[in-house]
Every structure is written in structure tokens, then in C-alpha cells.
């Protein structure tokens, strides 16, 4: 069983604040790292898929970085808005022959207006 | 624009009953997955199918069976439901493991 850890478990920020959270994963046999946004009563939706060490991806106010050598990825949200409130999941895949996508438990973000 | 469709959305079973959760995707994806989501546990992989004709166990396969009927459909069967299988079940599909996964809307199953 692959261990994918996310921290913090939850956080509350004020509207307009910037925030970031962490996903840690095994640094050996890395293949892909995914980030998903999961709103209450909906299904997870993909934000980013990253495969290369040093990758940085951006979508609007949300960006992510990847360090495969040390086994971590950061997700940043700039100028948080109430609509950013959701659980953010990361998922890890190891090795080109593996089709398992292992999820962390998520970071629950609440943005206070 | 259906994406991944799961049925049913809600189900209540008695202990020992059987049922099949259906999942279909219309994106011509190779890989399909079944996850369960429990409070504080995140999404845990039950079974996956890398491609049509193949299935493999994930992290929590006990008590479940799956069938990859064709490229579109991947079903999850509970042969004898137990209260421990009360959960929200999600089906997902992706073209490859390094491309984004698309999720169904979930099935909330309660076993009493």
C-alpha cells in the first residue's frame, strides 16, 4: 500500500488570504501526481496532473509544484475566495506498469467571507 | 456530455443481500476504477481495470467482485453485503494513469 500524506487535514482562511498545502508521496518509482478539487455533494474534479520533477502548473489563482526527488508537491491558492472552499485531494501513481491511483485523505479548506 | 454515469445514486440493503453497482463512461477511456469513500479515510481503491478484459485488486478488495463488461462498462458486485460496506462508492475512468481521472456522481450505499 502506497502512503500518500496530505497536510494540514483542514484549515480556515480569511477571504483574500493566500494559502498552500502539501502532498507527500514515495520518492521511488514516481510516475504521476494528480491534484483534485472536491466540493461537498459533488464528485472530485481534476486540477492538475504532473509527471516531471520541477513541474509547475497554474490554473487561474491555483498553482502547483512538484518535487519527485524528495517526494512532495505543493498546491497554492492566491487570494482565496469563498468558492475555493472544498477538499483538495492529491493522488499518486508509481511506475509505468501500475494503473493504481492512490489518494491522500485530503485537505479541507474553508474560506471565511 | 455524460462522462461517467453511475447507478443507482442511493441504495439501502439488508445484511446478506447482494447487488451490483453499474458504471459506464462515454469517453473511450482505457482504465476504470472503483473507490469507496469513508469519513476520515479518503478515497480507497477497491478494484481497477487497466484495460478491457483485465481487472486487478486495489487496497480494499475483500467482499467485492468486478466485471469489465466492455470498454465502456465496469460493474462492482457485493455478493453478501455487510454493514462495514456502508460507504459512498465512486467510479472513475482515465485514458492513462498519467492523465486526469473523471469521476461519477457517487452511490451512497447503506447496509443495515
Amino acid at each position: 500500500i502506497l502512503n500518500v500524506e496530505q497536510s494540514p487535514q483542514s484549515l480556515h482562511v480569511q477571504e483574500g488570504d493566500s494559502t498552500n498545502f502539501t502532498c507527500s508521496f514515495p520518492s521511488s518509482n514516481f510516475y504521476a501526481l494528480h491534484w483534485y478539487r472536491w466540493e461537498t455533494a459533488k464528485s472530485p474534479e481534476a486540477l492538475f496532473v504532473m509527471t516531471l520533477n520541477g513541474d509547475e502548473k497554474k490554473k487561474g489563482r491555483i498553482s502547483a509544484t512538484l518535487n519527485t526527488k524528495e517526494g512532495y508537491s505543493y498546491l497554492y491558492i492566491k487570494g482565496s475566495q469563498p468558492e475555493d472552499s472544498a477538499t483538495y485531494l492529491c493522488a499518486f501513481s508509481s511506475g509505468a506498469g501500475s494503473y493504481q491511483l492512490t489518494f491522500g485523505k485530503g485537505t479541507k479548506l474553508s474560506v471565511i467571507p | 456530455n455524460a462522462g461517467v454515469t453511475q447507478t443507482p445514486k442511493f441504495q439501502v440493503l439488508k445484511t446478506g443481500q447482494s447487488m451490483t453497482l453499474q458504471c459506464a463512461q462515454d469517453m473511450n477511456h482505457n482504465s476504470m476504477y472503483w473507490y469507496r469513500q469513508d469519513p476520515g479515510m479518503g478515497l480507497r481503491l477497491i478494484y481497477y481495470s487497466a484495460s478491457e478484459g483485465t481487472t486487478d485488486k486495489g487496497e480494499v478488495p475483500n467482499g467485492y467482485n468486478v466485471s469489465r463488461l466492455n470498454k465502456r462498462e465496469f460493474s462492482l458486485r457485493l455478493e453478501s453485503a455487510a454493514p462495514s460496506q456502508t460507504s459512498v462508492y465512486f467510479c472513475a475512468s482515465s485514458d492513462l494513469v498519467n492523465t486526469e481521472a473523471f469521476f461519477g456522481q457517487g452511490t451512497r450505499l447503506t447496509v443495515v
Side-chain angles (χ1 to χ4, degrees), chain A residues 46-66:
Chain A
L47 288 170
F48 307 111
V49 178
M50 295 185 286
T51 57
L52 298 175
N53 185 45
D55 250 356
E56 291 190 28
K57 297 222 171 177
K58 187 175 181 181
K59 186 181 287 189
R61 294 179 290 98
I62 303 176
S63 61
T65 61
L66 178 67

Side-chain angles (χ1 to χ4, degrees), chain A residues 3-98:
Chain A
N3 206 23
V4 180
E5 301 283 347
Q6 290 189 247
S7 62
Q9 273 190 311
S10 65
L11 74 163
H12 294 78
V13 301
Q14 291 290 137
E15 182 175 353
D17 285 352
S18 294
T19 187
N20 65 85
F21 16 96
T22 306
C23 173
S24 301
F25 51 85
S27 56
S28 58
N29 290 326
F30 175 85
Y31 194 64
L33 192 283
H34 299 219
W35 281 101
Y36 291 82
R37 182 170 179 274
W38 194 1
E39 290 182 74
T40 303
K42 294 187 178 181
S43 304
E45 292 185 350
L47 288 170
F48 307 111
V49 178
M50 295 185 286
T51 57
L52 298 175
N53 185 45
D55 250 356
E56 291 190 28
K57 297 222 171 177
K58 187 175 181 181
K59 186 181 287 189
R61 294 179 290 98
I62 303 176
S63 61
T65 61
L66 178 67
N67 183 323
T68 62
K69 296 188 186 306
E70 296 181 46
Y72 65 83
S73 175
Y74 293 137
L75 190 79
Y76 301 91
I77 303 179
K78 185 177 177 182
S80 302
Q81 300 297 308
E83 57 265 31
D84 295 329
S85 297
T87 296
Y88 292 83
L89 300 171
C90 71
F92 168 80
S93 176
S94 67
S98 169

Side-chain angles (χ1 to χ4, degrees), chain A residues 1 9 31-32 34 36 38 41-46 49 51 89 93 95-106, chain B residues 31 33 35 37 40-45 48-50 57-59 90 95-106:
Chain A
I1 298 172
Q9 273 190 311
Y31 194 64
H34 299 219
Y36 291 82
W38 194 1
K42 294 187 178 181
S43 304
E45 292 185 350
V49 178
T51 57
L89 300 171
S93 176
S98 169
Y99 290 84
Q100 293 199 51
L101 198 56
T102 302
F103 281 82
K105 295 179 182 179
Chain B
S31 301
Y33 312 83
Y35 289 91
Q37 189 247 333
M41 301 296 290
L43 287 167
R44 292 185 293 168
L45 184 64
Y48 65 100
S49 171
K57 296 178 181 179
E59 182 184 350
F90 285 94
D95 197 22
L96 299 167
V97 75
N98 61 344
T99 59
E100 64 182 290
F102 292 81
F103 285 80
Q105 70 272 43

Side-chain angles (χ1 to χ4, degrees), chain B residues 10-14 82-83 85-87 89 108-112:
Chain B
F10 302 94
Q11 183 72 50
V12 179
L13 289 178
K14 293 183 179 178
Q85 293 177 305
T86 293
S87 188
Y89 292 84
R108 185 173 293 276
L109 175 67
T110 303
V111 183
V112 297

